[in-house]
Amino acid sequence: MTYQSEIAKAGTLIGGQGNWDGIAPESVARMRLQNRFNTGLDIARYTAKIMRQDMAAYDADPANYTQSLGCWHGFIGQQKMISIKKHFGTTKGRYLYLSGWMVAALRSEFGPLPDQSMHEKTSVPALVEELYTFLRQADARELGMMFRDLDAARDAGDEVKAQKIGHDIDQYETHIVPIVADIDAGFGNAEATYLLARKFIEAGACCIQIENQVSDEKQCGHQDGKVTVPHEDFLAKIRAIRYAFLELGVDDGVIVARTDSLGAGLTKQIAYVREPGDIADQYNSFLDCEAVDPATLGHGDVLISRDGKLMRPRRLPSNLYQFRAGTGEDRCVLDCITALQNGADLLWIETEKPHIGQIGGMVSRIREVIPNAKLVYNNSPSFNWTLNFRQQVFDAWEAEGRDLSAYDRARLMSVDYDGTELGQEADERIRTFQRDAAREAGIFHHLITLPTYHTAALSTDNLAREYFGDAGMLGYVKGVQRQEIRQGIACVKHQNMAGSDMGDDHKEYFAGEAALKAGGAHNTMNQFAA
């Protein structure tokens, strides 16, 4: 689809009507190019192919890992992708992440909520749709400015410049990128998961992340009290999502199977065993049980048999069953293998710290069965990255026998250590964490779940301190607007970002010289042209 071919196609269509006076083929072509995706399903099919290509590229070379940042509003996602294109010239390998945590905390009609699947489940696909609405608008805005530059070059008689702009229009790279979308634990049974997955996909999601916690007991992965479900229950939900993708014609749809077993010590159900050694039997083998004498059974006791012995699983007053301590890693590995064997494409292992050795150890075990297993990993703000990596360096140096008398392990967060050799080594390990973990721990996609939750709070705090303090208006001008201008932040021209210029273009298409446009000489946005 080139600019000139679209003009020709529109001209043929209009010429065949006879009563469409005033409809300009070039204007039609511009509007079509500014809206290349007519439906969410178009977006899902397009972005699914991107993800599959990126996964293949990573398999060939782990240096080809991908990244994303979480966002809670369409404008945040839009500005993120505009910034990426500005700084790096391409969106390749960069996605968006949609966090259920941020939807719960920021987008629920109930007000701020914890990450426990209490928010309206349709608010998540609604945010997928909102994100793509803003990304499509970013395309329309940027192409609109290119069309204006094209008109200016033509008016100036500069054919060489006009041809270059036409070439750039034909080679235009969209802001539309894959979104890894969080469906929590599926918000109910497998049928509920299927119905919600359809909404995700219809809104444009090509990648759905689902976790193996119990829906009505779901907890944030970095909090206590997590309860997992038997493998077969989780696999039913993975299949439900796959069916939704296939039904809607998104054959390349990507499923991320997340396991919270590393930190989850409880289950709500004893799995139903059909034969020794099956998936259910393997799940039950991790239960914390004690051998019992039938003569000493208590009223209401629940029993299972294991290797010919009668066993009593440890049951809590909450009616939940407890796993044996120290089995979390083994359960994670089994979760991951069974998920990949039953329709999942990528894994997510929720860990309690960012430690390449720990993650890589589990991935190595998984790859003994599934050689191309790869992870999506949460570079979580719930980790104290500074403290974790300073502790890792301290412990490594201690094991090497180095002199650590200048450091107090209990005070490693202190600013006093920022400029030290240990502090600098820890920062370097943080800087290269994604690259190193992609190579050594099988991580295909690195994401930060909640970055813009924190950046919004931090920037607002800084502005409030300055504006309401002695700096007054200078607090805004120096800390915000002057930086926007000097760093080339697009939304410094906020009228343009909100669509004012596109509206003017449309007014001219529709009404010609009679159009009342907003972008005249008296528009104060002209002050930002210099």
Side-chain angles (χ1 to χ4, degrees):
M1 177 170 69
T2 67
Y3 186 38
Q4 293 302 321
S5 68
E6 282 298 315
I7 294 173
K9 189 189 304 180
T12 299
L13 174 64
I14 293 166
Q17 296 302 315
N19 61 341
W20 285 3
D21 291 346
I23 303 296
E26 187 161 18
S27 298
V28 173
R30 291 182 175 187
M31 294 177 77
R32 285 179 171 176
L33 290 175
Q34 286 174 295
N35 182 28
R36 301 183 183 201
F37 302 94
N38 294 316
T39 70
L41 289 177
D42 292 334
I43 292 172
R45 295 185 187 107
Y46 169 78
T47 53
K49 286 182 170 56
I50 291 175
M51 276 201 77
R52 293 289 178 176
Q53 291 167 358
D54 288 347
M55 289 160 66
Y58 173 83
D59 287 341
D61 182 355
N64 296 317
Y65 63 89
T66 56
Q67 300 167 291
S68 65
L69 292 172
C71 43
W72 49 272
H73 192 279
F75 178 73
I76 300 296
Q78 178 198 64
Q79 294 305 300
K80 200 175 299 177
M81 299 319 299
I82 287 174
S83 295
I84 287 169
K85 283 193 72 176
K86 178 184 77 172
H87 290 297
F88 304 103
T90 179
T91 61
K92 183 171 176 54
R94 281 89 174 196
Y95 307 162
L96 294 179
Y97 179 67
L98 191 163
S99 163
W101 193 102
M102 283 211 283
V103 171
L106 299 172
R107 300 298 298 261
S108 172
E109 292 184 10
F110 295 109
L113 294 172
D115 184 21
Q116 297 173 357
S117 290
M118 295 190 291
H119 55 283
E120 307 86 350
K121 61 184 181 182
T122 54
S123 61
V124 189
L127 180 52
V128 175
E129 183 176 9
E130 177 182 296
L131 285 163
Y132 280 127
T133 297
F134 273 79
L135 294 181
R136 290 162 66 188
Q137 194 261 10
D139 281 357
R141 169 189 166 274
E142 195 165 83
L143 281 163
M145 292 190 294
M146 294 171 76
F147 294 142
R148 286 173 175 236
D149 289 344
L150 177 62
D151 290 340
R154 288 171 174 172
D155 291 344
D158 190 340
E159 185 58 31
V160 173
K161 185 176 182 180
Q163 287 185 1
K164 181 184 181 306
I165 294 171
H167 176 267
D168 291 343
I169 291 169
D170 289 342
Q171 299 300 313
Y172 181 78
E173 182 184 271
T174 177
H175 292 85
I176 298 293
V177 296
I179 293 175
V180 179
D182 183 2
I183 202 171
D184 277 25
F187 288 90
N189 61 17
E191 174 68 8
T193 301
Y194 153 76
L195 292 171
L196 183 56
R198 279 181 51 96
K199 291 289 186 184
F200 273 61
I201 300 161
E202 288 168 345
C206 74
C207 179
I208 297 176
Q209 164 217 328
I210 186 166
E211 60 202 68
N212 69 334
Q213 290 192 48
V214 176
S215 288
D216 58 354
E217 300 284 355
K218 181 258 188 307
Q219 294 277 16
C220 172
H222 294 283
Q223 293 185 315
D224 208 352
K226 294 180 289 295
V227 183
T228 62
V229 298
H231 297 292
E232 289 184 321
D233 291 18
F234 188 51
L235 300 180
K237 291 188 176 183
I238 290 175
R239 285 193 291 270
I241 296 171
R242 181 63 66 203
Y243 272 110
F245 273 126
L246 295 174
E247 178 185 354
L248 295 172
V250 184
D251 298 347
D252 291 336
V254 178
I255 299 173
V256 179
R258 168 176 152 175
T259 174
D260 282 280
S261 289
L262 198 62
L266 303 170
T267 185
K268 199 168 188 176
Q269 297 167 263
I270 297 175
Y272 179 77
V273 177
R274 291 173 175 81
E275 58 184 49
D278 66 10
I279 291 177
D281 194 29
Q282 293 178 68
Y283 185 80
N284 291 343
S285 71
F286 295 112
L287 292 171
D288 187 3
C289 298
E290 58 181 347
V292 295
D293 182 344
T296 63
L297 292 180
H299 185 71
D301 273 355
V302 173
L303 305 176
I304 64 173
S305 65
R306 179 182 293 168
D307 300 325
K309 297 177 181 178
L310 203 58
M311 310 291 288
R312 180 193 292 119
R314 190 175 300 278
R315 186 165 56 159
L316 306 181
S318 59
N319 205 32
L320 300 171
Y321 297 94
Q322 188 168 295
F323 290 114
R324 296 194 316 277
T327 62
E329 184 169 313
D330 290 338
R331 286 183 281 122
C332 273
V333 170
L334 184 59
D335 292 341
C336 292
I337 291 171
T338 55
L340 291 176
Q341 289 174 332
N342 289 270
D345 302 291
L346 296 168
L347 302 172
W348 174 317
I349 300 176
E350 195 75 340
T351 65
E352 80 286 0
K353 59 182 179 292
H355 193 289
I356 293 175
Q358 178 196 39
I359 304 162
M362 287 186 281
V363 171
S364 293
R365 293 176 61 189
I366 296 163
R367 285 183 166 176
E368 291 175 5
V369 182
I370 313 289
N372 69 338
K374 44 193 168 286
L375 268 62
V376 171
Y377 187 71
N378 178 8
N379 293 214
S380 176
S382 293
F383 303 142
N384 185 331
W385 286 77
T386 301
L387 180 60
N388 267 289
F389 277 83
R390 288 182 180 181
Q391 288 175 341
Q392 288 178 36
V393 173
F394 184 99
D395 294 343
W397 286 3
E398 185 176 51
E400 295 170 6
R402 293 182 56 163
D403 178 12
L404 294 170
S405 58
Y407 304 102
D408 179 355
R409 196 178 190 281
R411 295 184 57 252
L412 289 178
M413 267 302 294
S414 172
V415 67
D416 296 340
Y417 295 133
D418 285 2
T420 64
E421 185 183 1
L422 185 146
Q424 292 171 353
E425 172 65 19
D427 282 354
E428 178 62 13
R429 292 191 185 194
I430 293 170
R431 187 185 72 83
T432 64
F433 173 80
Q434 294 188 340
R435 182 187 68 200
D436 296 341
R439 182 184 64 251
E440 300 172 23
I443 298 177
F444 156 71
H445 185 73
H446 283 278
L447 61 89
I448 305 178
T449 44
L450 320 174
T452 51
Y453 181 88
H454 294 278
T455 55
L458 179 61
S459 61
T460 301
D461 182 82
N462 290 335
L463 176 60
R465 182 186 66 244
E466 296 295 319
Y467 177 75
F468 293 105
D470 291 341
M473 190 59 195
L474 183 60
Y476 173 78
V477 172
K478 186 176 180 181
V480 180
Q481 189 180 78
R482 195 176 294 167
Q483 297 305 314
E484 287 181 303
I485 295 169
R486 291 177 176 173
Q487 294 180 39
I489 305 300
C491 71
V492 70
K493 298 182 180 181
H494 49 258
Q495 307 287 13
N496 167 269
M497 183 59 65
S500 178
D501 289 347
M502 287 188 291
D504 278 359
D505 291 340
H506 292 165
K507 289 174 185 177
E508 188 170 357
Y509 298 164
F510 306 154
E513 293 180 356
L516 181 63
K517 297 191 287 186
H522 299 294
N523 188 320
T524 60
M525 287 293 102
N526 295 329
Q527 296 172 20
F528 298 97

